[in-house]
Amino acid sequence: MIGGIKGLSKEELKEKIKQDFQRKIISLFAIDPKEATTYQQYLALGEVIKEYSFERWLQTNKYYKQNDVKQVYYFSIEFLLGKLLVNNLINLGIRDVCREALSELGITLEDIEEAEREPGLGNGGLGRLAACFLDSMASMGLAGHGNGIRYRYGLFEQKIQNGYQVEVPDNWLSEEYVWEVKRSDRACIVKFGGTVRFDIVDGKLKAFHENYEPVWAIPYDIPIIGYGCNTVNTLRLWSAEPFENVFDFASFSRGDYIKAVEYRYMVQSITQVLYPDDTNEQNRILRLKQEYFFVSAGVQSIIRSFKKRGKPIYELPNYVMIQINDTHPALVIPELMRILIDEEGLPWENAWDITTKTVAYTNHTIMVEALEKWPIDMVKTLLPRIYTIIEEINRRFCSEMLERTGGDWQKVCNMAIIHDGQINMAHLAVIGSSSVNGVSKLHTEILKNEVLKCFYTLYPEKFNNKTNGITHRRWLVEANPDLARLISETLQTDRWIKEPMLMLRFKDFAEDKLTQELVANIKFNNKVKLAKYIKEKYNIIVDPRSIFDVQAKRLHAYKRQLLNALHILHLYNMLKENSSLDIYPRTFIFAAKAAPGYILAKKIIKLINSIAEKVNKDPDVKDKLKVVFLENYCVSLAEKIIPAADVSEQISTASKEASGTGNMKFMMNGAITIGTLDGANVEIKEAVGDENIVIFGLLAEEVLDYYKNGGYSSSQLYQKDLRIRRLIDQLIGNFFDVPSGEFMDIYNHLITYNDEYFVLKDFDSYHEAQMKIDKLYRDTKRWRKMMIINIGASGIFSSDNTIQKYADEIWHIKRVEIPD
Ligand code: 26V
């Protein structure tokens, strides 16, 4: 193994990197280092850098153990890490010396960094949040680790063909993954199926789980390197492997060979693929298997390492905290109960006390379709012991509620965990944990007053808000190095990278002419870079002097890419009517993946591309409008797009976006938000002030009121508003060069089914807001001032602040300094 880098001078380190890198190429590939491909160079450099972190990793674990540090485990079914080479180099503080070392070998570091393939182990916001949290926990010296799944295939890769989305499997593990370490010695067994038998042993009722199928859970650990400190935490991802001797040779000869092969296939399927966020496709048994698989393995490994400390089991909540990222890991609750009762021999009441104190739950959506429910029969068959525990939790909860409500059955049914043949995972999570939080102020209020109202009345003390955040180390220092440098020069310190609230001082320079010019130049250069990428990849020429107006996020009806698209079509119509119409040139950029089975979303992609085709080839609007759809939105594409954005589209139907985190990434890079008062946009507005954001549209309370009491008719709007009628007619007429009826689903959504997300209702207000943007952008000084205020204020949205609140208010843990 390569030795550590502790205590080396810069020159020594440079020489060491050169040597280690070249030796690694030889030992990995048996070739002359000069002949290595860029990808081989990446693999070698990655190995070297990973090994540099080992010293600190060991040191961190030793420190945690010796000092009995309370450990937090962040359980998430997704971790959307993005590339790690740049990130690790920055956090180890050796990127510059590494660049020099390689350049002395005639190699450009940036080329190697570009060669890394990103693991797409997440759908969007939820998975990316988990990754930002890992970076913050390590960088702040908090003992916080991740627990998740090592999917063989990540989220699909998106290609656009003839304007349609096509999904290609993401075989990210076809080459080895540099950043992981396989730890077969820490494997666990997870049990599926079988039966449960109860028996009296020593006068106590005991459960026996029999005839189950065992599956090996093999952990792969990824070091999570903190910035500017010695902390290296662990992200543990589990992979399923068959148990070799389940169907032994004796059973082969009895003709069970087929069964043995089927068993292997079943096991491998568990961690084979990440499910796309598709709320239409529910109740997939494999998904339930995934959830229990990583939960059971994670809890077992936590208990195993806790027991090594030699503390009594009832002390668990003093040393361990499990945060569950949405309900996907909610089986933590019955699993911990199972271990405490069946394996540790605790009585129910004590086990329940320990469990509820150890677990905390974060809710990430109020969309009813996305709230998890599992059919009783499925859980009973797949997880018989877990089912009996859930049943007992439910029984005790319901009888307590019956008493409290004086026999109000209706209320008890509404709050029950098991109801109508299904298990309600959000109810299980709320009842079985000590803390329930939403992810923005507005979202938490909606949870308390609407979605989980009954529970809020029952346990007001459990509910709290933790507004999301993003790591400014990836989204500013790494993605926009020129802007990061300017901030450091302006503040005359780079301490803000450790203490992001210092970024607020950048706001003091909002009126400073020089700062304004420098910020504008950086933005322009980033736009030139993106324009170059667009030209190379799509052969579309976009003008970096035009406004770059960007909507980049998953495609969902509630996020209203459709509103943006229809509005572009409206601008096009206006320009066709009056070619001298004075609108400031704009480049509309979209990037979005739709779930493979989400038909409406896929039609919206086709519509955007159809509008793009119409607009981009029409010489009449050539200097005013351009529309580009960038395929395969992912973390590394976001890092290219966001620093180049002037306008950030955050236009979800109010009340629907729990928080949003893209909104924070854009403001941090100096884009001005056009948005509704939804999710964290509300707090962004508070942070920058009304004059530095452009707000439009219905309020959450108005939207909720329409849902409850009716009163909105989209077909009336269609009748009354000529602009809207024209747009809708264009959709279903022969305006676009598409098969007839192509956009019928969109038409039906907007008109036949009364426009569930108020696209047409908010159209007018959105147009006004867009005209305001147009006017503001022309006022160069004003716009630059707004940019600086947004950049400075974005310090508030660093995930360091979010994590500090989790640490103080939910986890009750303190920062520790790992010694050299
Ligand atoms: C739903 C499903 C349904 C079944 C298949 C797999 C799957 C995976 C993900 C989801 C959606 C989970 C909810 C979610 O991603 N919420 C987002 O969380 C962000 C971080 O808190 C937040 O910023 C976004 O507003 C919120 O939509």
Side-chain angles (χ1 to χ4, degrees):
M1 192 183 99
I2 291 166
I5 52 172
K6 232 163 33 184
L8 297 183
S9 73
K10 197 182 152 204
E11 269 319 299
E12 288 166 340
L13 182 56
K14 194 167 79 185
E15 286 312 309
K16 181 169 169 54
I17 293 174
K18 276 165 46 178
Q19 262 189 24
D20 290 343
F21 172 69
Q22 289 178 301
R23 284 199 191 132
K24 201 60 164 188
I25 291 183
I26 297 171
S27 73
L28 283 177
F29 311 111
I31 54 170
D32 187 322
K34 289 196 193 71
E35 279 159 22
T37 63
T38 311
Y39 194 70
Q40 287 172 325
Q41 290 171 344
Y42 157 70
L43 290 174
L45 185 61
E47 284 292 339
V48 168
I49 302 304
K50 176 176 70 179
E51 291 181 21
Y52 287 168
S53 77
F54 284 178
E55 223 176 9
R56 293 185 190 179
W57 204 3
L58 276 170
Q59 181 79 2
T60 304
N61 285 329
K62 205 164 101 192
Y63 184 91
Y64 290 162
K65 224 173 274 161
Q66 282 173 351
N67 296 278
D68 276 332
V69 177
K70 183 173 182 182
Q71 307 288 304
V72 169
Y73 298 92
Y74 198 80
F75 275 45
S76 178
I77 202 155
E78 306 184 352
F79 285 91
L80 192 47
L81 294 175
K83 296 185 180 189
L84 285 186
L85 178 56
V86 196
N87 192 247
N88 287 346
L89 287 171
I90 291 177
N91 284 11
L92 284 169
I94 59 172
R95 192 169 181 216
D96 290 336
V97 47
C98 192
R99 186 184 291 109
E100 279 177 37
L102 290 168
S103 111
E104 288 178 17
L105 299 172
I107 298 168
T108 309
L109 174 62
E110 280 72 12
D111 292 344
I112 300 190
E113 290 171 346
E114 191 64 30
E116 178 169 0
R117 185 159 184 179
E118 101 171 53
L121 307 189
N123 271 283
L126 173 132
R128 183 54 231 173
L129 183 75
C132 284
F133 281 5
L134 291 180
D135 181 73
S136 287
M137 292 189 293
S139 299
M140 295 164 75
L142 291 167
H145 314 278
N147 185 70
I149 297 177
R150 181 180 182 267
Y151 300 100
R152 182 69 189 64
Y153 289 84
L155 187 66
F156 64 88
E157 207 181 294
Q158 180 196 52
K159 296 246 182 310
I160 300 294
Q161 285 173 7
N162 186 30
Y164 296 100
Q165 166 174 302
V166 175
E167 301 94 22
V168 180
D170 168 35
N171 189 7
W172 73 286
L173 275 175
S174 62
E175 308 279 342
E176 69 178 292
Y177 186 54
V178 181
W179 303 107
E180 66 188 6
V181 179
K182 183 175 181 176
R183 296 211 193 273
S184 306
D185 57 312
R186 306 204 182 163
C188 299
I189 298 168
V190 180
K191 302 172 181 175
F192 291 103
T195 49
V196 185
R197 177 174 60 81
F198 290 92
D199 229 332
I200 307 282
V201 179
D202 297 336
K204 279 204 289 189
L205 189 65
K206 226 177 135 30
F208 296 90
H209 188 184
E210 296 167 334
N211 305 315
Y212 53 80
E213 281 189 327
V215 172
W216 273 125
I218 311 290
Y220 288 74
D221 288 353
I222 299 172
I224 303 295
I225 303 169
Y227 174 87
C229 61
N230 289 329
T231 302
V232 177
N233 288 331
T234 303
L235 168 58
R236 176 160 284 183
L237 300 180
W238 298 92
S239 177
E241 282 187 18
F243 215 81
E244 285 308 332
N245 51 3
V246 173
F247 297 92
D248 56 20
F249 287 106
S251 35
F252 278 166
S253 55
R254 288 201 305 270
D256 274 350
Y257 165 72
I258 295 295
K259 234 179 166 175
V261 176
E262 276 174 358
Y263 162 76
R264 295 188 71 96
Y265 179 79
M266 178 284 285
V267 171
Q268 277 152 6
S269 68
I270 298 175
T271 50
Q272 194 68 5
V273 61
L274 165 74
Y275 273 93
D277 161 14
D278 190 338
T279 44
N280 302 312
E281 251 196 87
Q282 276 175 351
N283 299 341
R284 299 292 288 265
I285 193 157
L286 193 56
R287 169 85 178 178
L288 180 61
K289 262 189 198 165
Q290 291 183 335
E291 295 186 356
Y292 183 64
F293 173 76
F294 91 100
V295 158
S296 176
V299 177
Q300 288 183 54
S301 96
I302 289 170
I303 297 291
R304 192 192 283 169
S305 82
F306 172 73
K307 287 182 71 171
K308 278 202 200 134
R309 293 189 183 194
K311 304 249 183 265
I313 194 75
Y314 62 81
E315 290 250 32
L316 187 75
N318 299 330
Y319 296 96
V320 168
M321 191 79 211
I322 299 176
Q323 186 73 41
I324 59 173
N325 198 21
D326 219 296
T327 55
H328 321 132
L331 292 172
V332 156
I333 294 157
E335 176 65 3
L336 189 50
M337 288 294 283
R338 180 189 71 77
I339 294 176
L340 295 175
I341 295 170
D342 295 358
E343 292 175 16
E344 299 300 319
L346 292 189
W348 181 279
E349 291 74 14
N350 297 17
W352 184 245
D353 183 56
I354 294 172
T355 300
T356 49
K357 280 184 182 150
T358 306
V359 181
Y361 159 55
T362 306
N363 173 289
H364 293 266
T365 182
I366 60 151
M367 303 280 290
V368 194
E369 316 89 279
L371 293 176
E372 277 194 305
K373 289 188 180 140
W374 292 106
I376 290 178
D377 290 339
M378 205 190 253
V379 179
K380 224 186 219 169
T381 315
L382 188 69
L383 310 168
R385 176 59 181 137
I386 291 300
Y387 180 72
T388 59
I389 293 171
I390 297 175
E391 219 174 16
E392 181 61 12
I393 297 173
N394 183 56
R395 194 189 63 76
R396 289 176 184 240
F397 175 76
C398 289
S399 73
E400 187 196 322
M401 283 308 295
L402 263 183
E403 211 166 283
R404 280 200 192 212
T405 58
D408 185 344
W409 269 105
Q410 191 53 52
K411 192 154 194 189
V412 177
C413 284
N414 288 343
M415 296 176 78
I417 298 171
I418 306 179
H419 179 60
D420 213 9
Q422 297 202 303
I423 301 176
N424 186 317
M425 301 302 273
H427 292 185
L428 174 63
V430 174
I431 293 165
S433 59
S434 52
S435 160
V436 178
N437 76 279
V439 290
S440 71
K441 278 186 197 161
L442 176 67
H443 169 61
T444 302
E445 287 310 305
I446 295 175
L447 285 181
K448 292 197 299 196
N449 302 324
E450 312 275 339
V451 185
L452 298 175
K453 188 171 175 176
C454 296
F455 289 102
Y456 178 56
T457 317
L458 182 62
Y459 320 109
E461 70 291 345
K462 281 195 192 186
F463 285 74
N464 62 93
N465 175 246
K466 297 285 167 284
T467 299
N468 282 165
I470 55 169
T471 169
H472 58 294
R473 285 170 289 271
R474 180 175 291 266
W475 296 106
L476 179 50
V477 179
E478 181 182 318
N480 201 342
D482 294 336
L483 182 57
R485 208 167 303 120
L486 175 65
I487 296 173
S488 295
E489 279 164 16
T490 311
L491 303 184
Q492 294 176 351
T493 171
D494 62 4
R495 260 177 52 219
W496 61 274
I497 303 176
K498 268 289 210 212
E499 296 170 54
M501 286 308 274
L502 293 177
M503 286 173 70
L504 274 85
R505 298 219 312 247
F506 194 58
K507 290 200 296 178
D508 299 344
F509 297 83
E511 311 252 17
D512 179 63
K513 203 158 175 284
L514 179 64
T515 312
Q516 286 191 354
E517 253 161 45
L518 292 170
V519 165
N521 285 343
I522 290 167
K523 179 61 77 184
F524 186 76
N525 290 338
N526 292 337
K527 288 165 77 176
V528 170
K529 267 192 225 151
L530 183 62
K532 193 162 161 259
Y533 174 83
I534 293 171
K535 171 77 180 66
E536 276 165 13
K537 203 146 187 255
Y538 301 98
N539 200 25
I540 299 174
I541 294 170
V542 300
D543 185 348
R545 288 166 306 178
S546 65
I547 301 176
F548 278 19
D549 180 321
V550 185
Q551 187 168 19
K553 52 180 76 250
R554 280 303 286 266
L555 215 142
H556 260 287
Y558 83 81
K559 294 180 190 279
R560 298 202 294 193
Q561 281 93 349
L562 185 53
L563 175 58
N564 189 352
L566 290 177
H567 183 255
I568 297 169
L569 185 55
H570 174 58
L571 291 179
Y572 175 78
N573 289 340
M574 293 204 310
L575 279 169
K576 290 299 275 186
E577 258 165 30
N578 172 10
S579 59
S580 58
L581 187 74
D582 183 25
I583 66 169
Y584 200 93
R586 259 204 232 208
T587 302
F588 289 95
I589 298 170
F590 289 87
K593 286 181 181 176
Y598 192 172
I599 294 169
L600 177 66
K602 291 178 118 175
K603 291 288 183 187
I604 294 172
I605 291 182
K606 175 66 179 168
L607 176 65
I608 294 167
N609 285 311
S610 303
I611 294 173
E613 198 186 302
K614 198 95 191 164
V615 168
N616 296 350
K617 74 173 186 209
D618 189 334
D620 293 353
V621 301
K622 185 170 139 278
D623 303 324
K624 298 277 172 64
L625 285 187
K626 273 274 155 68
V627 183
V628 190
F629 190 103
L630 301 179
E631 60 192 356
N632 202 37
Y633 189 53
C634 57
V635 177
S636 31
L637 184 57
E639 289 176 45
K640 289 191 176 58
I641 298 176
I642 294 172
D646 294 308
V647 176
S648 158
E649 298 271 352
Q650 308 300 337
I651 60 178
S652 54
T653 310
S655 80
K656 295 290 178 184
E657 190 70 272
S659 158
T661 43
N663 46 4
M664 303 166 184
K665 294 165 198 163
F666 280 99
M667 80 179 287
M668 189 172 273
N669 284 277
I672 307 306
T673 306
I674 177 167
T676 48
L677 282 177
D678 197 17
N681 294 353
V682 177
E683 285 142 271
I684 292 179
K685 172 171 166 282
E686 262 173 43
V688 298
D690 295 1
E691 61 292 355
N692 297 302
I693 186 167
V694 179
I695 296 292
F696 74 96
L698 290 173
L699 301 176
E701 54 198 79
E702 293 169 327
V703 169
L704 295 173
D705 191 65
Y706 276 126
Y707 284 138
K708 272 186 210 143
N709 304 317
Y712 168 53
S713 159
S714 62
S715 46
Q716 260 177 27
L717 262 182
Y718 170 82
Q719 297 299 340
K720 268 197 330 219
D721 190 324
L722 287 178
R723 300 166 308 175
I724 287 178
R725 192 189 307 173
R726 179 163 180 201
L727 293 168
I728 301 291
D729 291 349
Q730 282 171 324
L731 270 188
I732 52 172
N734 51 13
F735 176 78
F736 294 110
D737 183 16
V738 294
S740 109
E742 179 68 41
F743 299 127
M744 213 46 208
D745 288 318
I746 301 180
Y747 173 87
N748 284 334
H749 174 78
L750 289 175
I751 305 296
T752 319
Y753 304 122
N754 201 30
D755 186 14
E756 189 180 349
Y757 297 109
F758 303 94
V759 169
L760 303 181
K761 178 80 187 161
D762 274 346
F763 185 83
D764 187 54
S765 156
Y766 181 57
H767 178 65
E768 290 299 312
Q770 284 292 20
M771 293 304 102
K772 191 168 168 193
I773 291 273
D774 183 293
K775 196 165 154 237
L776 285 167
Y777 194 83
R778 291 168 197 252
D779 185 346
T780 310
K781 258 202 208 147
R782 171 84 198 277
W783 188 269
R784 292 175 179 176
K785 181 177 162 193
M786 290 168 75
M787 288 171 78
I788 295 171
I789 290 173
N790 269 272
I791 296 165
S794 76
I796 296 174
F797 299 99
S798 164
S799 43
D800 289 9
N801 295 325
T802 312
I803 285 297
Q804 189 64 57
K805 294 210 170 77
Y806 275 93
D808 291 341
E809 296 164 18
I810 303 179
W811 304 334
H812 307 293
I813 58 167
K814 296 233 170 318
R815 301 185 184 207
V816 293
E817 195 174 320
I818 308 297
D820 277 332

